[in-house]
């Protein structure tokens, strides 16, 4: 079973601008190696949020492994990108603590956002890791650190439409429910005609953006169109 996570950062949001200058934040969140990368980067703010998104995405993915040793402390996760500075598309590996297997990440960077997708298995990202990003309509004012019912509904509707399209089925028979596990974490689950599937999905939001990523898993790969 492959598990996925994702995180998006609105680079134009006030909380994101100039964060590389916040030494207290940088020391608390990033390893010594990552701190050096941030300060040496030509794009230090973007590097901060790329590393942050990688850690968040990796945690979201491994939190589904049903392990009691998992921690959300970002400084316990070491991120290694495949290039010294960020590219529009950057691959990397996140090393979690406690001997948990590596998580594989793909960073997408634009002028306005950074989006990270994470996978617990090495997979052909382009072929099987499906995702979507949307900006909020004008007139909707995001609240930092909170997800409104509108944002939650929007990203779920987008994901349902994409799943239905890829499987060539009606969106009306696809639903998403949050299942609370024994640790109290809400894990989104995909149902088709009220039957649970092995599709793994992750949602994120920040500022003016919402995003999702899903992975079909083996039993419905044959239904995904290339």
């Amino acid at each position: 079973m492959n598990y996925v996570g994702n995180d998006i950062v609105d680079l134009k949001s006030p909380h994101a601008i100039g964060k590389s200058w916040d030494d207290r934040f940088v020391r608390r969140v990033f390893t010594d190696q990552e701190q050096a990368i941030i300060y040496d980067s030509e794009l230090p703010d973007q590097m901060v949020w790329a590393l942050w998104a990688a850690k968040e995405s990796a945690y979201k993915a491994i939190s589904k492994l049903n392990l009691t040793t998992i921690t959300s402390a970002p400084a316990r996760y070491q991120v290694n990108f495949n290039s010294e500075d960020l590219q529009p598309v950057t691959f990397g590996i996140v090393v979690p603590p406690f001997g948990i297997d590596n998580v594989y990440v793909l960073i997408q960077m634009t002028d306005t956002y950074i989006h990270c997708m994470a996978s617990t298995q090495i997979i052909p990202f382009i072929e099987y890791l499906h995702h979507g990003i949307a900006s909020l309509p004008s007139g909707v004012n995001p609240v930092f650190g909170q997800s409104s019912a509108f944002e939650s509904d929007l990203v779920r509707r987008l994901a349902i439409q994409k799943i239905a399209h890829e499987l060539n089925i009606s969106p009306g028979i696809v639903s998403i429910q949050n299942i609370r596990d024994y640790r109290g974490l809400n894990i989104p689950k995909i149902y088709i005609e009220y039957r649970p599937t092995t599709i793994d999905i992750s949602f994120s939001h920040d500022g003016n953006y919402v995003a999702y990523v899903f992975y079909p898993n083996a039993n419905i790969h044959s239904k995904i169109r290339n």
Side-chain angles (χ1 to χ4, degrees), residues 4 47 61 81 95 98 109 133 151 171 195 197:
V4 297
M47 183 62 76
F81 290 140
V95 183
F98 307 120
M109 182 179 70
I133 299 167
E151 291 167 313
R195 294 192 298 268
T197 73

Side-chain angles (χ1 to χ4, degrees), residues 18-19 31 33 37 42 56 60 62 67 76 85 89 125 136 153 156 158 177 219 224:
K19 201 63 175 179
T31 66
Q33 178 181 330
I37 292 172
E42 296 180 358
E56 284 286 298
K60 289 179 180 179
I62 67 170
L67 300 174
R76 303 294 301 274
D85 223 324
V89 176
F125 278 96
L136 300 183
D153 180 66
R156 280 163 171 75
L158 293 172
Q177 299 181 27
N219 69 333
I224 297 292

Side-chain angles (χ1 to χ4, degrees), residues 132-145:
I133 299 167
S135 56
L136 300 183
S138 59
V140 177
N141 296 316
V143 178
F144 172 61

Side-chain angles (χ1 to χ4, degrees), residues 61-172:
I62 67 170
S63 66
K64 303 168 188 176
L65 291 175
N66 200 29
L67 300 174
T68 59
T69 56
I70 292 172
T71 176
S72 61
R76 303 294 301 274
Y77 294 74
Q78 173 66 48
V79 182
N80 301 305
F81 290 140
N82 68 339
S83 60
E84 293 183 357
D85 223 324
L86 294 174
Q87 307 298 321
V89 176
T90 301
F91 291 91
I93 293 174
V94 180
V95 183
F98 307 120
I100 300 171
D101 289 344
N102 293 343
V103 180
Y104 305 90
V105 295
L106 182 152
I107 297 286
Q108 296 175 307
M109 182 179 70
T110 73
D111 292 337
T112 57
Y113 66 77
I114 282 176
H115 182 232
C116 180
M117 296 179 283
S119 168
T120 57
Q121 297 178 9
I122 299 178
I123 60 171
F125 278 96
I126 302 302
E127 185 176 1
Y128 285 139
L129 204 58
H130 301 274
H131 74 284
I133 299 167
S135 56
L136 300 183
S138 59
V140 177
N141 296 316
V143 178
F144 172 61
Q146 299 181 27
S147 177
S148 70
F150 177 85
E151 291 167 313
S152 178
D153 180 66
L154 172 63
V155 72
R156 280 163 171 75
R157 283 191 287 108
L158 293 172
I160 286 172
Q161 290 170 3
K162 178 66 171 179
I163 291 168
H165 173 75
E166 295 297 334
L167 295 179
N168 196 25
I169 58 178
S170 168

